[in-house]
Amino acid sequence: MASHTAGIRRLTAEHRRWVSPRTDLVTALLGIWFGIGLMVDAWAHANLAELETFFTPWHAVFYSGFAVVSGWIIWQVWRNVRAGRQGLAAVPAGYLAGLVAIPAFAAFGLADLMWHTVLGIETAIDIFFSPSHLGLIVTMLLIITTPLRSAWSAPHVGAAPRLGRLLPALLGLAFATTLVSLFLSYGGALQLRPQAIVQALSLGQGPAIAPPGGGPRPVALGADRVAVSMVVTNVVMLSPVLFLVRRWSLPFGAVTVMYAVIALMPGAQTGFRDVPVLSSFVVAGVVSDLLIRWLRPSGERRGAYWAFAGLSAFATWSLYLGVASAVGGGLPAVPELWTGAPIVAGLIGLALGALFLPNAVAVHPGAGRT
């Protein structure tokens, strides 16, 4: 009976172990290869007129990134199998979802090949709604956030980790956020040029811009488009930060690293033609890091958490409009828009803070082993 029980335990997650911080860092770095591959592919779709084949250099970078990070995750499991661990016990804590996503991603990759072979290559907004692309992006999210899940309840991370120890988790979540921003880029604010922002907020209707994902027909940029883009991007960029702040006391530089990574995707889509606007978000990351040091928001300090959420969003979009105005020819002519937009962003940030932390928590319960 005892031997039977021991055999069952070997097949369960009861004795699963965490990998070393170095292993998580390698997982995150290989995930960067994977993420950069997608950025290169996004650049090609947005800036090259005709992509008529699935077999492109950009796809080669993307799928080779998938191969190396997948091989690394599988190797971690195989090492445990060779050490005598069986079943789920061989899967390191935090690595199970990524492991399951590997064959699913490969299946969606094959489906994407068949889709393009039969129906052709998407060149406009339809690229973000392709079922095979949606499957790829969801499974990719699970793979590259493996270091985050590994660190989430690891006993050696602690409640106030140093930047170096938390870096793999930050990179994983930041690149995951870039995937979300890519598939919502038709409502993204970081793809807009400073001059177009100023003119749209001055006249209510700005110059024509190319639609996200390329395409021959431009779309009109109006004040409503800028306002909606700010709301969408505000939610996409602030949510992962609030997610982390509830779990850890973030070290200085954590938000700056995340915002710098997140800005890479819209930069790739626009060929980095709008560096000043992208840079404003990196500066906003520094400001958010300073706010964290000043307010010390946490799950136990709900008021400070809410204040950080609102002030971080307000500062981010004040910088965005300030830089756009400085580079784009002056303040927009409609004062209600450029004065009220950061306030709206701050209120949305406050609402997000209340959603993420409606009640203060005494002790973080942990996320379990996934």
Side-chain angles (χ1 to χ4, degrees), residues 300 361-366:
E300 297 82 11
V361 293
V363 178
H364 189 277

Side-chain angles (χ1 to χ4, degrees), residues 164-189:
R165 179 61 189 91
L166 201 58
L167 186 60
L170 293 174
L171 292 174
L173 184 58
F175 272 93
T177 307
T178 66
L179 306 186
V180 177
S181 71
L182 171 63
F183 273 70
L184 294 177
S185 59
Y186 45 84

Side-chain angles (χ1 to χ4, degrees), residues 199-338:
Q199 291 183 35
L201 296 182
S202 296
L203 305 175
Q205 182 70 30
I209 60 169
R217 295 195 306 172
V219 295
L221 177 64
D224 53 349
R225 165 73 163 86
V226 175
V228 171
S229 298
M230 291 176 63
V231 171
V232 171
T233 307
N234 187 23
V235 173
V236 170
M237 296 191 68
L238 184 59
S239 294
V241 175
L242 295 179
F243 178 71
L244 292 178
V245 169
R246 175 168 172 162
R247 174 64 182 91
W248 287 295
S249 176
L250 293 183
F252 187 84
V255 184
T256 305
V257 168
M258 288 195 62
Y259 278 12
V261 172
I262 294 170
L264 291 176
M265 183 61 80
Q269 290 176 274
T270 59
F272 290 96
R273 293 187 295 268
D274 302 319
V275 172
V277 169
L278 299 176
S279 299
S280 73
F281 278 83
V282 180
V283 176
V286 177
V287 173
S288 295
D289 281 320
L290 291 171
L291 286 172
I292 289 175
R293 175 165 290 188
W294 173 43
L295 296 171
R296 295 181 294 112
S298 67
E300 297 82 11
R301 293 169 49 83
R302 184 178 61 173
Y305 185 92
W306 288 1
F308 166 75
L311 291 174
S312 175
F314 176 83
T316 297
W317 295 99
S318 294
L319 285 166
Y320 175 82
L321 291 175
V323 169
S325 299
V327 178
L331 289 171
V334 182
E336 291 84 355
L337 293 176
W338 62 265

